[in-house]
Amino acid sequence: MPRLKYASILRVLVILGLFCLWVQIMLSATNGAMEKDSEELMNTNDTSEQVLALVPPELHKYLTVHPRNATANSTERYGPKNVSDILRAIQRVNEAQTIYNEDIFGPVQNDTVIIAIQVHTRLTYLRHLIVSLAQAKDIDKTLLIFSHDYYDEEINSLVRSIDFTKVMQIFFPYSVQTHPTEFPGMDPNDCPRDVKLEQAIKLKCNNALHPDLHGHYREAKYTQTKHHWWWKANRIFNQLQCTAAHTGMVVFLEEDHYVAEDFLHMLNLLRTTADRTCPQCEILCLGTYLKTYQYHSNSDKRKKHLTLSYIQQVRAVSEERRKRQHDGQTWNYQVYPNFYSSTQKVEITPWHSSMHNMGMVFNRTVWENILELQDQFCAYDDYNWDYSLLHLSQNRPGREKFKVILCKGPRVFHIGECGFHHKKSNCNASTVISKVQKLLQDAKSNFYPSRVTATITAGGAKHNKKLTKGNGGWGDLRDQELCTNMTQVGRQIRKYIYYA
Ligand SMILES: *[C@@H]1O[C@H](CO)[C@@H](O)[C@H](O)[C@H]1NC(C)=O
Ligand SMILES: *[C@@H]1O[C@H](CO)[C@@H](O)[C@H](O)[C@H]1NC(C)=O
Ligand SMILES: *[C@@H]1O[C@H](CO)[C@@H](O)[C@H](O)[C@H]1NC(C)=O
Ligand SMILES: *[C@@H]1O[C@H](CO)[C@@H](O)[C@H](O)[C@H]1NC(C)=O
Ligand SMILES: *[C@@H]1O[C@H](CO)[C@@H](O)[C@H](O)[C@H]1NC(C)=O
Ligand SMILES: *[C@@H]1O[C@H](CO)[C@@H](O)[C@H](O)[C@H]1NC(C)=O
Ligand SMILES: *[C@@H]1O[C@H](CO)[C@@H](O)[C@H](O)[C@H]1NC(C)=O
Ligand SMILES: *[C@@H]1O[C@H](CO)[C@@H](O)[C@H](O)[C@H]1NC(C)=O
């Protein structure tokens, strides 16, 4: 049957051709993603005069962008450049567990406040966060732990230049940067995000049988944040040697946050208030969101969503959800000073992911409760760490949802809202930062309150609604397994490394 044979050879050729084309597309997509990631290092010199005027001169050093030395040998000056070098450097730092400035500020105690800062690539914002931390009262009694998922010498030298308290760096070892062509980065054999199930099965791509609940396949870049958050918490509570006896509070911040000078004072006040009036409050919260611009002004939302990527769509939907919760109280800086009065208000309410995920604080006891239910976090099909934690909170056998105690006059602000996507508008870093600075100046006379009054609220109906399904993006079994694996690592002895 020559005709039949010919047809099947043709079919094989076509399939082979398609496969080659697909591999090419995948490879170019990977390259594109890498290029974009390194471009993302946000380190501009556009700090306005207005902002600088409100920063004490001795702190300007944290805002100064040093021009790259073009004449120097770049490999010498900027250290490791290829992946194997970076992996080795990361391993060395993680093993050494070096605490900078310990000799000046004393060792970590069991009640030292630990401030964990998750850092990606937004260096400009990180500079401002450091400036705000430098001005906080009692900052010299804390330990700052910077947790990085991107290795960059400029970020490292900024962090190591901090001289106002103890500092430690930890590096997320499963980053996209260090796994450019394999899981947890993007493997060439990973299923394209939008491919249909039947097609994926034919392609025999990785985990073809496990798209997320929206039928999409994983995107490495977007799973990284949840992995990093989980790894960081595990690392701090369960693995570092300096926290073996730690029972104090751990504050969770991100690179684009900004703190008020009395945030540690407020934290202690929240703690004592909770101990007295709300022993069941497991989470303390210092922050809230600034709403500086409209996400969807007047335009047709559906149409707008069509032009967004899948993850952006998911973000837009959660953003809208968050916005609806704030109905009737639009967050903007004009209304804030009302929250700062001589007797300040704190609120006790059920913890909700999107409202109480900034400047979140808890201790080891609470972490152990979370860890017991790690399945609820790791196996939940949502790429957001905060929604995963909400899911866990709502599914605690025999226990209530997490309660949070939060200050109504926020002490942590999100300055990174006008990130990459708003370059054209007037919404730049300097604009937001100078507004936060102004707000804090106006509120200054009401800082360091000696007492607070607590109100207990049940939270809105929407806010208490049980999550029925996640936002997706976390269907791949490898992600769920890696998440679980991270909890299996025990405490690691600090290795002293001597430099010649
Ligand atoms: C940034 O600004 C400072 C002071 O304005 C200047 O000295 C420095 O050269 C600038 N750096 C870059 C990379 O433009
Ligand atoms: C640039 O690098 C060269 C060679 O290492 C060095 O001599 C010079 O001092 C550097 N310049 C600056 C501004 O760091
Ligand atoms: C950089 O280093 C290499 C090897 O160490 C050397 O051959 C080269 O001349 C250096 N380049 C510059 C611009 O100093
Ligand atoms: C990475 O760079 C170093 C020099 O910086 C070199 O010795 C090493 O061979 C490189 N590794 C790879 C895999 O390219
Ligand atoms: C912390 O350490 C001190 C002594 O170093 C000890 O007296 C105290 O009981 C410890 N506190 C906790 C909560 O373990
Ligand atoms: C940790 O937090 C819980 C809940 O807020 C609290 O009950 C407990 O006393 C705290 N543990 C320590 C050692 O402070
Ligand atoms: C950001 O805004 C400030 C003042 O609000 C302005 O001086 C600065 O030029 C702006 N920067 C950019 C990059 O638009
Ligand atoms: C999880 O750990 C197991 C056992 O060490 C290992 O075989 C597996 O590859 C790990 N999975 C991931 C996704 O890292």
Side-chain angles (χ1 to χ4, degrees):
M1 291 276 170
R3 292 251 319 259
L4 237 175
K5 217 169 174 181
Y6 176 73
S8 61
I9 287 174
L10 197 68
R11 201 178 314 151
V12 167
L13 281 179
V14 166
I15 290 175
L16 259 175
L18 281 174
F19 180 71
C20 289
L21 185 70
W22 174 72
V23 166
Q24 278 228 311
I25 291 174
M26 294 307 290
L27 284 179
S28 62
T30 314
N31 292 341
M34 279 306 286
E35 269 159 31
K36 228 170 147 194
D37 258 355
S38 41
E39 264 173 24
E40 263 179 26
L41 183 67
M42 226 187 82
N43 189 21
T44 52
N45 212 9
D46 69 352
T47 302
S48 68
E49 296 296 319
Q50 209 181 347
V51 169
L52 278 180
L54 289 173
V55 175
E58 69 273 16
L59 300 180
H60 284 190
K61 63 182 178 196
Y62 298 120
L63 298 175
T64 311
V65 177
H66 297 285
R68 293 210 171 223
N69 190 342
T71 55
N73 236 323
S74 59
T75 42
E76 281 168 17
R77 199 161 185 306
Y78 291 103
K81 273 170 86 180
N82 60 30
V83 167
S84 52
D85 272 2
I86 293 177
L87 274 171
R88 217 169 318 121
I90 285 176
Q91 193 191 356
R92 208 175 50 185
V93 175
N94 281 347
E95 281 176 355
Q97 302 186 25
T98 306
I99 301 173
Y100 295 95
N101 307 328
E102 201 177 12
D103 49 339
I104 304 168
F105 300 102
V108 177
Q109 309 281 348
N110 54 13
D111 61 350
T112 298
V113 173
I114 293 180
I115 301 174
I117 302 159
Q118 186 159 332
V119 183
H120 182 49
T121 58
R122 303 173 82 187
L123 187 46
T124 299
Y125 290 112
L126 181 61
R127 292 177 182 285
H128 288 282
L129 170 62
I130 289 171
V131 165
S132 72
L133 288 168
Q135 296 176 80
K137 186 163 184 288
D138 288 336
I139 194 71
D140 56 336
K141 298 187 179 70
T142 65
L143 168 66
L144 304 183
I145 299 184
F146 291 84
S147 182
H148 302 269
D149 60 30
Y150 190 85
Y151 188 95
D152 176 81
E153 288 300 337
E154 239 173 313
I155 298 179
N156 292 343
S157 61
L158 171 68
V159 167
R160 289 171 196 163
S161 74
I162 292 173
D163 58 7
F164 52 82
T165 189
K166 293 186 282 293
V167 172
M168 182 178 208
Q169 280 188 298
I170 58 179
F171 284 90
F172 177 57
Y174 310 104
S175 71
V176 174
Q177 185 195 25
T178 53
H179 299 78
T181 56
E182 60 182 328
F183 180 82
M186 188 156 154
D187 189 300
N189 194 38
D190 277 353
C191 302
R193 182 193 70 194
D194 290 323
V195 87
K196 293 273 171 294
L197 184 64
E198 310 87 70
Q199 240 177 313
I201 292 170
K202 277 195 208 128
L203 284 171
K204 293 204 170 60
C205 50
N206 293 331
N207 280 338
L209 293 175
H210 302 282
D212 72 1
L213 55 92
H214 301 291
H216 295 287
Y217 291 96
R218 84 184 287 269
E219 286 181 282
K221 254 198 335 199
Y222 297 114
T223 60
Q224 174 162 280
T225 310
K226 175 168 163 180
H227 279 310
H228 184 178
W229 190 89
W230 186 243
W231 175 82
K232 170 186 67 177
N234 274 282
R235 180 90 188 146
I236 291 173
F237 286 113
N238 299 350
Q239 296 168 22
L240 294 179
Q241 218 191 329
C242 68
T243 60
H246 189 258
T247 50
M249 295 182 278
V250 178
V251 182
F252 290 86
L253 296 180
E254 289 170 28
E255 62 189 354
D256 59 351
H257 291 169
Y258 193 97
V259 300
E261 62 170 77
D262 71 337
F263 87 103
L264 291 167
H265 171 90
M266 209 56 201
L267 181 58
N268 284 324
L269 208 49
L270 282 179
R271 176 77 267 163
T272 48
T273 310
D275 287 346
R276 237 182 310 113
T277 62
C278 181
Q280 75 279 21
C281 282
E282 292 169 289
I283 297 177
L284 283 60
C285 179
L286 293 161
T288 197
Y289 286 86
L290 277 175
K291 295 220 67 77
T292 49
Y293 57 93
Q294 294 286 312
Y295 285 85
H296 307 289
S297 47
N298 314 323
S299 54
D300 179 351
K301 280 173 200 161
R302 293 256 307 283
K303 226 197 282 169
K304 203 158 178 183
H305 283 187
L306 284 178
T307 64
L308 300 175
S309 78
Y310 160 62
I311 292 295
Q312 285 172 321
Q313 283 177 39
V314 171
R315 286 238 169 89
V317 170
S318 9
E319 199 46 59
E320 235 158 80
R321 204 179 318 160
R322 177 190 297 159
K323 200 166 139 190
R324 269 187 265 120
Q325 281 154 0
H326 285 306
D327 267 355
Q329 40 175 335
T330 33
W331 294 119
N332 61 51
Y333 15 84
Q334 279 84 12
V335 306
Y336 273 136
N338 303 340
F339 285 130
Y340 302 95
S341 51
S342 45
T343 45
Q344 286 186 29
K345 297 189 177 61
V346 302
E347 185 181 345
I348 292 167
T349 191
W351 182 81
H352 190 276
S353 52
S354 62
M355 294 176 73
H356 311 132
N357 63 6
M358 189 167 57
M360 226 172 91
V361 184
F362 55 83
N363 66 17
R364 178 189 304 282
T365 319
V366 177
W367 170 249
E368 277 160 7
N369 291 334
I370 292 173
L371 209 48
E372 262 169 39
L373 302 172
Q374 51 163 292
D375 256 11
Q376 304 286 359
F377 186 91
C378 289
Y380 186 57
D381 189 359
D382 195 323
Y383 74 100
N384 299 286
W385 65 264
D386 54 350
Y387 275 90
S388 308
L389 201 55
L390 179 61
H391 173 75
L392 185 152
S393 165
Q394 292 181 344
N395 291 278
R396 304 204 297 167
R399 278 167 164 265
E400 292 205 5
K401 285 175 285 194
F402 288 130
K403 280 237 165 62
V404 61
I405 177 163
L406 63 108
C407 39
K408 302 206 76 162
R411 265 38 181 206
V412 176
F413 300 85
H414 185 213
I415 54 175
E417 284 188 68
C418 311
F420 334 95
H421 311 300
H422 296 84
K423 282 204 176 102
K424 285 193 190 122
S425 68
N426 62 354
C427 189
N428 68 28
S430 279
T431 316
V432 180
I433 292 158
S434 67
K435 278 176 175 158
V436 171
Q437 283 177 330
K438 176 88 174 39
L439 161 78
L440 291 177
Q441 279 235 317
D442 292 348
K444 204 163 187 151
S445 58
N446 292 315
F447 281 165
Y448 307 102
S450 51
R451 56 188 205 91
V452 292
T453 56
T455 52
I456 299 175
T457 65
K462 273 178 194 145
H463 188 147
N464 280 311
K465 202 168 145 203
K466 192 153 171 134
L467 288 177
T468 46
K469 53 179 184 173
N471 291 302
W474 199 263
D476 198 302
L477 297 181
R478 289 171 298 174
D479 284 317
Q480 303 182 8
E481 191 181 283
L482 177 61
C483 180
T484 306
N485 276 7
M486 287 177 191
T487 65
Q488 311 293 315
V489 182
R491 204 166 296 281
Q492 291 167 349
I493 301 302
R494 177 171 173 178
K495 281 197 190 149
Y496 291 91
I497 291 182
Y498 299 97
Y499 295 94

